[in-house]
Amino acid sequence: MVATHAQSALHIAHAHGLSQAGTLAEWARARADLGHGNPEHAAARLAPLVRAGPRQGHFGLWMMAVPCYVEAAVLAGHDVDADVEHLIGQYARWASLGADPQAPAVVLRCRAMVAGNEHSEDLFTAALARHEKVDSPYEHARTHLAYGMWLRRRRRPVEARTQLRRAVMGFDQCGADVWTEQADAELRAAGETPTAVPTHRSGTGPLTPLTPQQLRIAHSVAQGATNREVARQLSISTRTVEYHLRNIFTQLGVRSRVALARHLEPDLPPVHTGGQLP
């Protein structure tokens, strides 16, 4: 879906000379590449944007692109050169102005990813400590993921699993399904045993192939919660609930909330509507 919308935006941007819209679309495509585990593609998309410098386009968009480019370049195995260090330095100077409360933690994450092994761990730890001071669950989860990946690649699976579990929970809280799946894949690669998926009592196979976030939404809706009530319970937008619910209906082969309730009925807790319990 991101690729389709971004391609449409790029087509319009190129046709009308809308450079800022084009930059934003390429940034969105690069973030999707990163989420799907394609850092090489992400780095290739972002390199022309960040190397041009903040004066060649919208300053704010350039600042958004820099951390993604640094992460993509490192994960793609590119050599960390003076240009990358300079980019991080520029981003750090902007972060020090206080315009974005989460930026100082992101700076530390970037520096952790490019530092030598003897310094990376301290920088990751410092980044996580900064995240604790601001409400930035998505970027906080990104740092947990980066740290967990770093630990796993240094054959420290037990410590990696701690960070990766937190990444999974953070992305799931944000409804960032692509990133949840990536963190979960890293967690399995670090030796985590997948939890069993509940099955129907009728023995028809797995209850769902859904993500943890989708399972929570499905069960809440099946018990009668409105989209707005689910959004409030999970601290996400109503639009996000609607998006997940469409996917849930498709994956379960149901067409209504009533059908969803019937589908999940064997797994739902009993609902007491009043009166005395026997």
Side-chain angles (χ1 to χ4, degrees):
M1 183 176 291
V2 171
T4 301
H5 290 311
Q7 190 60 46
S8 297
L10 282 170
H11 178 74
I12 296 171
H14 291 160
H16 298 279
L18 305 174
S19 61
Q20 292 181 17
T23 298
L24 190 58
E26 286 290 13
W27 171 76
R29 293 173 76 186
R31 295 246 294 197
D33 286 334
L34 268 176
H36 284 100
N38 297 317
E40 190 70 51
H41 290 172
R45 292 189 199 283
L46 292 172
L49 305 179
V50 299
R51 303 267 183 196
R55 296 182 181 179
Q56 299 301 312
H58 191 284
F59 183 82
L61 295 182
W62 186 88
M63 287 300 173
M64 290 195 304
V66 167
C68 286
Y69 173 71
V70 171
E71 182 175 350
V74 170
L75 294 178
H78 295 182
D79 291 333
V80 177
D81 55 20
D83 287 342
V84 172
E85 297 283 1
H86 180 64
L87 289 173
I88 296 174
Q90 286 184 288
Y91 183 77
R93 284 193 291 276
W94 172 77
S96 69
L97 299 177
D100 183 354
Q102 67 188 354
V106 176
V107 171
L108 290 166
R109 182 177 73 216
C110 288
R111 286 182 168 157
M113 296 188 76
V114 303
N117 288 346
E118 60 181 296
H119 301 297
S120 291
E121 189 155 15
D122 289 341
L123 288 165
F124 275 125
T125 301
L128 291 171
R130 290 300 294 264
H131 279 303
E132 294 289 349
K133 298 178 180 180
V134 296
D135 183 21
S136 59
Y138 174 75
E139 291 296 345
H140 199 160
R142 287 278 295 272
T143 300
H144 279 303
L145 176 60
Y147 189 17
M149 292 171 68
W150 184 87
L151 288 165
R152 186 176 78 77
R153 283 152 180 74
R154 281 150 188 82
R155 300 185 179 183
R156 296 165 62 181
V158 175
E159 296 163 278
R161 288 196 292 270
T162 298
Q163 298 301 324
L164 294 170
R165 287 189 201 104
R166 291 171 181 167
V168 169
M169 289 188 291
F171 289 133
D172 187 50
Q173 176 188 345
C174 299
D177 291 345
V178 169
W179 287 92
T180 301
E181 291 169 8
Q182 184 186 147
D184 192 54
E186 284 285 333
L187 187 55
R188 291 194 300 273
E192 183 87 338
T193 303
T195 44
V197 180
T199 59
H200 279 38
R201 294 176 188 173
S202 59
T204 55
L207 173 62
T208 69
L210 306 180
T211 66
Q213 180 85 311
Q214 290 172 329
L215 281 169
R216 284 196 288 272
I217 291 171
H219 280 83
S220 294
V221 169
Q223 293 181 73
T226 66
N227 289 359
R228 183 173 296 180
E229 288 169 342
V230 176
R232 187 166 57 249
Q233 290 167 9
L234 301 181
S235 299
I236 57 179
S237 69
T238 304
R239 183 172 297 180
T240 298
V241 174
E242 292 168 352
Y243 169 77
H244 283 308
L245 201 52
R246 286 195 297 269
N247 289 335
I248 290 165
F249 281 10
T250 299
Q251 293 186 63
L252 298 185
V254 299
R255 298 184 180 181
S256 69
R257 301 167 89 93
V258 172
L260 176 63
R262 290 173 180 166
H263 188 85
L264 300 183
E265 187 177 5
D267 300 282
L268 294 175
V271 177
H272 299 292
T273 57
Q276 292 183 339
L277 294 175

